[in-house]
Amino acid sequence: MEFDTVIIGAGAAGMMCAAHCGGQVLVVDHAKAAGEKIRISGGGRCNFTNLGTSSANFISKNPHFCKSALKRYTQWDFLDLIARHKIDWHEKTLGQLFCDGSAKQIVAMLLDEMTKVGAQLWLQSSVREVRFDGSRYVLSIERDGALAEVSARNLVLASGGKSIPKMGASGYAYDVARQFALKITETRPALVPLTFSDQRYAPISGVAVPARVTAGGTGFDEAVLFTHRGLSGPAILQASSYWKEGDSVTLDIDPSGTLFEQLRSARTEQGKRDVSTVLTQRFPARLVQHLMQEFAISGRIGDQSDKALEALCDQLRSWEQRPTGSEGYRTAEVTLGGVDTDGISSKTMEAKAQSGLYVIGEALDVTGWLGGYNFQWAWSSGWAAGTAIAARLD
């Protein structure tokens, strides 16, 4: 069976590419349904893009690589697409956009776009072999208990990274990329909770607090959630992309910097109260209990000097943690690293040294922040590859 383009992976990037690349297109995925990560994302409502998307929201060995695709297919272009499909949406916080209804609407939209251009979709189908005969890519695909051989002028790797293996994620795209001499940067889980072997926060599991979390010199202001196994919440997930094993993370649980003045006022107005009682006016009681032990805080607020209050505030604003690990790919939202962008055209997503081979989405060494950025990269990179393929077919 001959096609113009075969796309491995029916996720966000793969379906977006299929909708734009023209000609005879086949999308192959081993899952039972297309767009499974889309379906479960954002609590089932899909945080499909971010109003503030720019290249500054992405991590890559080459921070300039993502600029071209993001500028040519923007968050506004994707909003135009969902408007045409009459999908209602809302902004939550920090520019994050979600469906009013269900993430399944995004999957249905992409499948509809594929149907319009006649793209074929083979689900529960596994690619067993890929080879290049000098002009076409030849794939052996196991489907319905039998092997089918298909060939195409173009091959698109869109099967993502290693994150959430229970959804079928694997490093398959990296294996095929290596086969064609593309390099792979170091990969590790990202947007992932951090863990401590001593489960030190089990007694305060479920407590959340606004904070600024810094790792690797980069800080994020959002909520921190204490868990049985360690630390989670948006600020921790963001910082985890900049954290490496052995490094520390720093929590500032007074990100507004107003606690010192609050404590000074309490010293005048509530001098007979314990420091712990005053702190519960600002922080959850269970967290205060933990802090009293962690920093050996005791005594009445009225007995504390400015120096003592400043020292306490400094401790709470530079609370250093050294996690022993992370929850790993099991719960990581994305994979950091991937196919080295040095070998890929930033305009077309085509391999520079292997004609007709394209890499898009999470499979590339381009990782977005939490908040819809990774989906926008899927849309932008999928569109860039798809339109480049279509232009070549014309």
Side-chain angles (χ1 to χ4, degrees):
M1 299 178 69
E2 294 188 354
F3 294 89
D4 293 301
T5 304
V6 171
I7 300 170
I8 302 176
M15 289 193 284
M16 189 69 171
C17 181
H20 290 89
C21 58
Q24 297 297 310
V25 182
L26 172 65
V27 182
V28 182
D29 201 297
H30 59 73
K32 292 181 180 180
E36 282 293 83
K37 277 193 176 181
I38 300 174
R39 181 181 62 80
I40 67 167
S41 68
R45 289 193 171 180
C46 188
N47 179 192
F48 55 80
T49 192
N50 194 293
L51 291 176
T53 301
S54 75
S55 62
N57 307 115
F58 294 84
I59 306 166
S60 174
K61 192 177 80 172
N62 177 3
H64 302 291
F65 178 84
C66 63
K67 290 180 178 179
S68 175
L70 291 172
K71 284 182 179 177
R72 290 183 297 126
Y73 190 90
T74 69
Q75 57 270 44
W76 311 112
D77 293 312
F78 193 74
L79 284 172
D80 285 344
L81 176 61
I82 68 170
R84 293 200 298 274
H85 285 261
K86 296 180 170 56
I87 297 174
D88 294 326
W89 54 271
H90 60 278
E91 179 183 356
K92 276 197 174 179
T93 59
L94 304 173
Q96 301 168 11
L97 304 189
F98 291 77
C99 297
D100 284 356
S102 166
K104 293 177 182 178
Q105 294 175 281
I106 301 294
V107 178
M109 174 189 77
L110 294 168
L111 289 171
D112 184 54
E113 290 292 306
M114 287 171 55
T115 301
K116 286 178 184 177
V117 297
Q120 293 190 44
L121 175 62
W122 288 6
L123 295 170
Q124 295 181 281
S125 303
S126 299
V127 179
R128 297 302 182 196
E129 182 186 13
V130 177
R131 65 182 189 275
F132 185 64
D133 67 7
S135 61
R136 297 179 69 82
Y137 293 90
V138 182
L139 292 80
S140 293
I141 302 174
E142 185 176 346
R143 186 186 187 216
D144 297 329
L147 280 179
E149 187 170 279
V150 302
S151 70
R153 290 169 54 186
N154 306 294
L155 175 64
V156 183
L157 304 181
S159 55
K162 302 176 183 178
S163 304
I164 318 182
K166 71 178 180 181
M167 302 290 294
S170 71
Y172 183 73
Y174 310 147
D175 296 336
V176 178
R178 287 190 190 97
Q179 184 181 331
F180 293 101
L182 289 172
K183 294 180 180 179
I184 311 299
T185 68
E186 177 190 0
T187 58
R188 66 177 193 270
L191 299 182
V192 63
L194 301 177
T195 59
F196 297 81
S197 57
D198 60 7
Q199 296 189 325
R200 66 187 65 178
Y201 297 120
I204 58 171
S205 176
V207 170
V209 64
R212 180 171 182 80
V213 179
T214 303
T218 302
F220 294 92
D221 291 278
E222 281 194 78
V224 168
L225 174 68
F226 296 90
T227 72
H228 280 283
R229 291 172 54 83
L231 296 168
S232 188
I236 292 292
L237 297 184
Q238 295 278 38
S240 73
S241 297
Y242 295 86
W243 175 83
K244 293 183 178 179
E245 287 198 10
D247 290 351
S248 62
V249 296
T250 302
L251 273 61
D252 173 0
I253 60 172
D254 175 32
S256 64
T258 58
L259 180 61
F260 176 66
E261 289 303 325
Q262 183 178 343
L263 294 177
R264 287 188 72 194
S265 296
R267 184 176 60 191
T268 302
E269 300 165 7
Q270 309 170 50
K272 293 183 179 180
R273 292 192 173 187
D274 285 347
V275 176
S276 60
T277 303
V278 175
L279 287 174
T280 58
Q281 297 169 10
R282 179 68 171 263
F283 304 110
R286 281 198 294 153
L287 175 58
V288 171
Q289 283 183 322
H290 181 91
L291 295 173
M292 299 300 283
Q293 296 173 355
E294 176 103 6
F295 299 117
I297 304 166
S298 63
R300 297 189 308 177
I301 189 70
D303 297 331
Q304 308 301 313
S305 66
D306 277 0
K307 186 175 181 180
L309 294 179
E310 284 178 346
L312 171 59
C313 291
D314 286 346
Q315 287 176 313
L316 301 184
R317 300 206 69 189
S318 55
W319 188 8
E320 190 170 300
Q321 316 275 334
R322 197 172 297 276
T324 51
S326 77
E327 293 280 5
Y329 289 116
R330 181 178 65 86
T331 59
E333 295 199 16
V334 292
T335 301
L336 191 73
V339 176
D340 195 329
T341 59
D342 285 351
I344 305 293
S345 163
S346 62
K347 183 178 181 181
T348 65
M349 305 295 139
E350 184 178 20
K352 294 175 181 176
Q354 180 66 42
S355 179
L357 179 65
Y358 298 78
V359 189
I360 59 177
E362 190 185 345
L364 283 165
D365 173 29
V366 177
T367 305
W369 289 2
L370 184 72
Y373 300 103
N374 287 293
F375 274 127
Q376 185 58 47
W377 174 244
W379 316 137
S380 297
S381 61
W383 176 90
T387 53
I389 291 169
R392 181 174 289 182
L393 292 178
D394 290 345

